[in-house]
Amino acid sequence: MITLNKIIQAKRTISDFVTKTPFGYAPKLSRITGAEVFLKKENLQLTGAYKVRGAFNKIAHLSDEQKKSGVIAASAGNHAQGVAISARHFGVKATIVMPEAAPLLKISATKALGAEVILRGDNFDEAYAFAQNYAAENQMTFVHPFDDEFVQAGQGTIALEMLDEVADLDYIVVPVGGGGLASGVASCAKQINPNLKVIGVSAKGAPAMFESFKSGELHNSKSVRTIADGIAVRDTSSVTFSHLKECLDDMVLVDDEEVASGILYLLENQKIVVEGAGAVGIAALLEGKFAYEKGAKIGIVLSGGNIDMQMLNVIIEKGLIKSYRKMIIDVTLIDKPGSLMKLSQTLADAGANIVKIDYDRFSTKLNYGDAMIKITLETKGREHQEEVARTLRSGGYEFSVE
């Protein structure tokens, strides 16, 4: 494991630059789960994610010659920004290789911090391979996002801050991609309190570390696909795997639907915006992925908040439909004056608010003289949607619900 002394030293190194983020009690979450839940809000960190901790600690320890040659990193986004802002602080040239599908928000933010951005590969691992070759060809220092003790020690300072505020935590729940964050956090937690349980959470669409942890042997994935892009790592690191075998108590998986629900829950109930990777701990708690005692004190690391706005919009829209607050119906009408007005009045009688209408009278699927109306409604839950359906049926309307 990463020694506690290295993590304490990292805290001294980064303390004047990195934000000490809030570690706050979450009353609503505590009430519905029967635990005392505390949220470590690394979404409020510099650059919007925890990665700056490890990146700054690593670059701070480079020799003058290494700093002069510049640094390079591979990242899906958050490590990129951490390296960029840290390099700028030390006056070091930074080059970042990002997957071609990296969110525009993260690409733009990285460039704005003064780094050169190169887009290569379909995922982190392909970007990583290109960056390593580029580093060797140009005599640059490669700042690894997780396979580096300085980086891991920097990430471990999160656990120091959590335990400084709530010394008697029973559980820490932490996202796991490459394993650098979990290595640092779990190493720190176990050395301070061996009885504290650390639970790692991975995305179902990027299960390499989870499968390795469960089997006790290294496993890689053929491909990765998840909205939790910050932990979308294809291959397992032997370095971080050894730390997690030693320090983690368990690992669990969450799928994209569960991650999306976690994002929406935090947005609506905690007024917190997080990205996919930042929501996996909440998803694991809400979905009952791990067992805990009633009243247990649980600290959850919200690792970052750099979510693409288009992705957030999709999550909100799907979440509203899933929670029965939005209803999309297709209704067949006779195409004549007054038909749409009558349908609108029927929906108004059911208390449904129309937010969008699409009117199609030219579809080849329609009978002559008919029109298809796609209507999006605001509703107040499952029972209200059932009432809307009953009202339409009693009015003689043919319809389907999407």
Side-chain angles (χ1 to χ4, degrees), residues 41-62:
K41 300 170 186 174
E42 285 294 294
N43 59 308
L44 302 179
Q45 184 56 260
L46 286 171
T47 72
Y50 75 95
K51 288 281 192 177
V52 65
R53 295 173 180 268
F56 190 91
N57 192 46
K58 172 64 176 180
I59 294 173
H61 284 87
L62 296 180

Side-chain angles (χ1 to χ4, degrees), residues 254-297:
V254 290
D255 63 30
D256 278 359
E257 284 294 329
E258 292 163 340
V259 174
S261 294
I263 291 171
L264 197 59
Y265 179 87
L266 287 172
L267 182 62
E268 192 166 25
N269 294 281
Q270 298 292 149
K271 315 309 175 191
I272 295 172
V273 177
V274 297
E275 60 192 271
V280 296
I282 294 295
L285 179 65
L286 290 174
E287 298 295 332
K289 298 287 183 172
F290 63 95
Y292 55 87
E293 306 77 27
K294 186 175 182 180
K297 292 186 177 180

Side-chain angles (χ1 to χ4, degrees), residues 118-388:
I118 299 173
L119 299 179
R120 286 291 189 282
D122 292 331
N123 52 51
F124 163 77
D125 298 276
E126 292 179 8
Y128 168 78
F130 178 88
Q132 283 202 314
N133 290 333
Y134 193 95
E137 291 170 1
N138 294 277
Q139 290 79 53
M140 303 172 77
T141 298
F142 183 76
V143 182
H144 203 288
F146 45 83
D147 263 0
D148 185 286
E149 282 207 348
F150 287 116
V151 171
Q152 294 161 3
Q155 323 304 28
T157 61
I158 292 174
L160 279 181
E161 292 178 7
M162 294 170 75
L163 292 168
D164 278 347
E165 295 194 39
V166 185
D168 56 344
L169 280 177
D170 298 302
Y171 293 84
I172 290 179
V173 184
V174 61
V176 180
L181 172 62
S183 291
V185 167
S187 293
C188 180
K190 287 296 186 180
Q191 288 172 86
I192 292 175
N193 178 7
N195 295 320
L196 195 163
K197 292 182 173 61
V198 184
I199 310 296
V201 187
S202 286
K204 188 175 181 180
M209 186 64 82
F210 171 83
E211 292 174 352
S212 299
F213 182 84
K214 290 297 186 179
S215 68
E217 300 177 351
L218 289 176
H219 285 271
N220 295 328
S221 302
K222 291 182 179 179
S223 61
V224 294
R225 183 175 180 179
T226 173
I227 62 172
D229 56 278
I231 54 174
V233 178
R234 187 189 64 194
D235 298 335
T236 301
S237 156
S238 60
V239 176
T240 56
F241 174 57
S242 65
H243 294 320
L244 301 192
K245 279 200 303 182
E246 183 180 5
C247 301
L248 273 191
D249 291 277
D250 198 8
M251 279 194 71
V252 299
L253 284 180
V254 290
D255 63 30
D256 278 359
E257 284 294 329
E258 292 163 340
V259 174
S261 294
I263 291 171
L264 197 59
Y265 179 87
L266 287 172
L267 182 62
E268 192 166 25
N269 294 281
Q270 298 292 149
K271 315 309 175 191
I272 295 172
V273 177
V274 297
E275 60 192 271
V280 296
I282 294 295
L285 179 65
L286 290 174
E287 298 295 332
K289 298 287 183 172
F290 63 95
Y292 55 87
E293 306 77 27
K294 186 175 182 180
K297 292 186 177 180
I298 302 175
I300 300 179
V301 180
L302 308 181
S303 58
N306 294 320
I307 187 168
D308 180 78
M309 289 299 102
Q310 292 184 0
M311 175 61 72
L312 183 59
N313 183 56
V314 170
I315 288 170
I316 291 171
E317 287 298 307
K318 286 189 173 184
L320 290 173
I321 292 171
K322 187 177 178 181
S323 59
Y324 302 98
R325 285 175 288 173
K326 183 167 282 190
M327 183 180 191
I328 302 174
I329 57 174
D330 294 318
V331 185
T332 302
L333 293 179
I334 297 174
D335 185 25
K336 67 178 184 178
S339 292
L340 183 57
M341 185 187 305
K342 182 181 176 184
L343 172 61
S344 298
Q345 186 58 54
T346 300
L347 292 170
D349 292 341
N353 186 39
I354 298 173
V355 295
K356 184 180 179 183
I357 295 179
D358 292 316
Y359 196 102
D360 181 6
R361 63 194 299 188
F362 300 114
S363 173
T364 56
K365 297 179 182 179
L366 293 168
N367 294 324
Y368 292 106
D370 282 352
M372 177 64 72
I373 316 299
K374 184 185 292 291
I375 301 183
T376 303
L377 304 169
E378 285 181 344
T379 54
K380 301 172 185 176
R382 186 198 294 262
E383 291 183 2
H384 188 201
Q385 290 195 4
E386 291 172 352
E387 180 186 344
V388 170

